[in-house]
Amino acid sequence: MNLRRLFLRLTASAAMSLALVAAPAVAREPAAGHPAETAAEASARPSRERAKMNQRVFDRVWTEVRGQYYDPALHGVDWNGARRTFRPRALAAADDRALYRVLGDMLALLDDEHAGASAPAVARRLDTLRQARPAIGVTLRPDPDTPGHYVVEKVRADSPAAAAGVATGWRLDATGPAAWSPELDVVEGQAVRLAFSDANGVDRPLTLTPRILQPLPPFTADLSRPGVAVLRVDAFDIGLGDWMGRQLTGLSPDTDVILDLRGNPGGRLLEADAVLSCFLPRDRVWATRTTRSGQAIPLRTAGGCGDLAAPAQNEVAVLVDANSRSAAELTPAALQEAGRAVVVGEPTAGSVLISQDSRLPDGGRLSLSRSDFVTAGGVRLEKRGVTPDLTALAPVSGSNGVDPVLDLAIAALAPPPQVRVEVPAPL
């Protein structure tokens, strides 16, 4: 089956999509000594309806992992034992926060960033990511070492969080009974309490009022530098291949192209293939996916770079960092192996499996790895990541626009200076 047919063969559920992206709620290792039930959980018992829904959600997650996870051995995890341990806690959960913490602890046993369960509120935010919606303006990532704690990865410039001085690197403690956590909705005009601490560990509690923010474009082009086109891709969303084709069509072959994938969590595998088709010949093998049954399926460039008639011939650099994940790792890896691009920045996250989302009975979402992945060169990027050709540290907060990673990429693609040799005139 070729790649295009593979990704157009959708299931009956519109909620499911094949992707290469780290789970929004990252699986985490249970903390040492983490109690089977917290005091808050013990004091609050669920209603009968809540307990029934908890049971449906837990059983769906447990069964789907057992029957569909890409590794039928589940990395040696005793999945029946996991059910005995976590099911009573799940059924006793009084709210989404408690339920999805239990699910996260169980899925963490797989040691797979793609295995995660997102509460209904998180799923709703993901579904409306490209729509106008109430928001605080921060992108959070769970701290794998401290359950219930999150790290601020991004702060939107025009958001309530930015106006209050929240910065990248701050931490959010969502464990308090009155503290907001990602498992809760945000409502326009309804203030939320946030237990932040800054990069120095100083507590910065804030009360922020969400407001409607317009969606940001997932792809942007910066042509402000002579001879350089910087194409920023925040996610491998629908339409990326067509957009990339439009940016490259008519671009002078002397213009250097820089793909900025820093902070990109991944996305649709079909769009990653389209980006690779912008620079590699059609039908070129760039990876192999291996299904649960052990079937190895080569992935080949299938076109899809908009109306671009042939792969672009421009010099290419790809910018990555520690938060480049999944499709944002396979893309630089494939271009790097093909000798088609120089990769600049920091080693990537090493979260590269082919996942599929499915909707849970309460409206939540399960993200689960369905296939393994290796590059055309036989490299398994999972837990390893992409090693840049040129290493540069990410710009720090308050750097006033100075971007050493971008500067290094521009310099790497620039033609070497011509040395003029003076030839003495004959006597």
Side-chain angles (χ1 to χ4, degrees), residues 310-394:
Q313 299 303 308
N314 307 70
E315 296 291 331
V316 182
V318 185
L319 311 186
V320 296
D321 63 10
N323 293 317
S324 301
R325 290 178 166 84
S326 298
E329 298 182 84
L330 72 87
T331 301
L335 294 174
Q336 186 184 55
E337 284 192 346
R340 187 62 188 85
V342 57
V343 178
V344 183
E346 300 172 301
T348 62
S351 177
V352 191
L353 292 169
I354 298 178
S355 65
Q356 189 174 31
D357 290 355
S358 58
R359 197 65 78 174
L360 297 173
D362 63 348
R365 181 183 294 182
L366 173 66
S367 179
L368 195 65
S369 301
R370 319 283 172 150
S371 299
D372 202 355
F373 174 93
V374 297
T375 69
V379 177
R380 191 171 188 267
L381 297 174
E382 182 71 8
K383 306 299 182 187
R384 173 174 177 168
V386 179
T387 301
D389 299 298
L390 300 173
T391 301
L393 296 179

Side-chain angles (χ1 to χ4, degrees), residues 180-271:
W180 180 85
S181 73
E183 293 83 11
L184 303 176
D185 281 308
V186 292
V187 179
E188 181 185 10
Q190 191 173 106
V192 294
R193 295 172 58 187
L194 298 144
F196 281 120
S197 58
D198 63 23
N200 296 318
V202 178
D203 289 342
R204 303 282 187 179
L206 292 174
T207 298
L208 300 180
T209 302
R211 59 181 176 81
I212 299 294
L213 297 179
Q214 296 300 316
L216 296 174
F219 334 121
T220 55
D222 179 1
L223 303 177
S224 62
R225 300 169 183 80
V228 177
V230 180
L231 306 182
R232 168 74 186 174
V233 179
D234 287 335
F236 285 75
D237 284 358
I238 292 176
L240 173 57
D242 289 339
W243 177 85
M244 189 75 67
R246 289 194 299 272
Q247 305 309 311
L248 296 173
T249 299
L251 195 67
S252 167
D254 295 329
T255 299
D256 295 333
V257 174
I258 297 178
L259 303 182
D260 190 348
L261 304 183
R262 290 175 291 180
N264 185 318
R268 295 175 179 268
L269 191 53
L270 185 59
E271 297 298 340

